[in-house]
Amino acid sequence: NKRAAINKDKPSSTHISLSPEHKYFTEVNQIVSHHLNQINDNLEENWTCIAEDGELKVYKKELEEDGIVIDPLKAIHVVKGITGHEVCKYFWDIEYRMEWEATLDSSEVIEWLSDDTFVSHNVIKRVWPASQRDALFWSHIQHIAGDQDEDPDRWIVVNYSTEHDECPSTKYVRVFMNVGMVCETLIKPPADGCQISRDDITCKIIYTAEVNPGGWAPASVLRAVYKREYPKFLKRFTSYVKTKTSNLDILL
Ligand code: 6CM
């Protein structure tokens, strides 16, 4: 049963988050910092734009390791009517993952580490002629409150490859990935006495993916898949969030 698998040992409290004693605490914080430090990268300098559609821009850097393509990918998108909290909620919460994911055959929780972090196993759709891949990663969601004069308020989700005794790599080629979704919400101050509406909010999304396909895959096919699939994912996922939230109260 899908729901039972999703809620497997899910912590009942909604307040506890990963404690400093937890074995993943240092790693999670390091990887979150890694993504936050990249926010202001100069994309004009070292990156090549591979797709542009309205406010969406997708960039890559060509990189190979032992003949395997590991091109880092970065996308910037600006979407009206949704908040960073909402974008991150739907990206992180595995309950919704298969509603918007077009690249996965399945996704299931392996372990809840705290109420903001869990490990999941994901089977990626097979791309001919390569072998089928899977990915095992922890997903962490965090709110980073802005300070008045410098950083804006941010929400972040990180999906980072890990290992787990209950899920050894046997059946598929395992992909290694470090994916970050950082969001900032811009609010246009409403007229005096008026409530904020969805017309007043805009979300800036900075998405980065460092993926190692974990074994040989034809470079030209992989690059063609990335060029097609990442823009498709960003458009499909953000319109999913818009549809899901259009009749709901704004989640700031
Ligand atoms: O970030 C995305 N989805 C997340 C939630 O599911 C998660 C991603 C997991 C899977 C990422 C797979 C990347 C592609 C792997 C390539 C496989 C190689 C096949 C060989 C081809 C010749 O972080 C959205 C991911 C959108 C991917 C386009």
Side-chain angles (χ1 to χ4, degrees):
N1 161 313
K2 199 171 161 222
R3 185 159 293 265
I6 285 168
N7 288 324
K8 185 186 173 201
D9 302 325
K10 186 178 184 182
S12 53
S13 162
T14 50
H15 299 288
I16 312 157
S17 47
L18 212 58
S19 78
E21 289 77 39
H22 199 285
K23 66 172 177 165
Y24 281 84
F25 182 82
T26 310
E27 181 174 273
V28 167
N29 283 292
Q30 260 169 13
I31 306 302
V32 165
S33 303
H34 163 82
H35 287 286
L36 293 174
N37 288 337
Q38 288 190 359
I39 290 175
N40 298 317
D41 270 7
N42 183 354
L43 291 166
E44 303 308 318
E45 242 171 50
N46 304 312
W47 297 77
T48 313
C49 186
I50 55 164
E52 192 171 353
D53 186 351
E55 296 279 6
L56 170 67
K57 285 198 177 92
V58 183
Y59 302 83
K60 76 162 180 187
K61 252 189 220 171
E62 288 212 348
L63 212 61
E64 283 176 35
E65 215 172 67
D66 302 327
I68 295 176
V69 170
I70 49 162
D71 299 353
L73 187 125
K74 194 188 263 276
I76 311 283
H77 201 5
V78 179
V79 186
K80 282 201 155 148
I82 50 180
T83 67
H85 189 176
E86 289 165 338
V87 169
C88 284
K89 170 188 152 149
Y90 289 99
F91 186 64
W92 173 79
D93 195 334
I94 193 168
E95 246 187 280
Y96 304 109
R97 191 174 288 166
M98 294 309 285
E99 291 181 16
W100 57 264
E101 253 294 4
T103 52
L104 298 181
D105 271 345
S106 66
S107 184
E108 72 162 324
V109 174
I110 300 299
E111 187 186 351
W112 278 94
L113 305 173
S114 62
D115 72 332
D116 54 17
T117 314
F118 63 92
V119 175
S120 67
H121 179 242
N122 304 268
V123 180
I124 301 164
K125 283 188 179 154
R126 183 168 176 231
V127 180
W128 185 89
S131 325
Q132 189 160 24
R133 263 64 179 175
D134 68 350
L136 181 76
F137 54 85
W138 53 251
S139 296
H140 172 77
I141 186 166
Q142 198 178 121
H143 174 221
I144 298 138
D147 42 45
Q148 297 252 300
D149 6 73
E150 284 184 31
D151 287 332
D153 200 82
R154 293 190 175 108
W155 278 85
I156 179 168
V157 174
V158 176
N159 291 339
Y160 188 80
S161 280
T162 190
E163 288 174 4
H164 199 286
D165 290 346
E166 277 176 40
C167 202
S169 174
T170 50
K171 210 171 157 192
Y172 308 100
V173 176
R174 190 150 288 177
V175 158
F176 295 91
M177 47 177 253
N178 182 359
V179 169
M181 169 96 82
V182 181
C183 295
E184 298 170 359
T185 310
L186 292 139
I187 304 168
K188 194 171 78 193
D192 275 352
C194 292
Q195 270 202 329
I196 301 171
S197 85
R198 291 205 173 265
D199 294 335
D200 304 317
I201 57 178
T202 307
C203 181
K204 180 177 178 187
I205 301 168
I206 303 141
Y207 172 87
T208 47
E210 293 160 35
V211 176
N212 183 324
W216 188 81
S220 60
V221 180
L222 197 57
R223 287 196 167 118
V225 167
Y226 287 173
K227 194 177 157 82
R228 187 185 66 227
E229 294 299 325
Y230 281 108
K232 198 166 118 190
F233 145 64
L234 282 141
K235 283 186 267 178
R236 181 182 155 109
F237 169 68
T238 49
S239 52
Y240 167 82
V241 177
K242 283 187 85 151
T243 309
K244 273 303 244 202
T245 53
S246 63
N247 291 320
L248 300 179
D249 286 346
I250 299 168
L251 189 61
L252 285 173

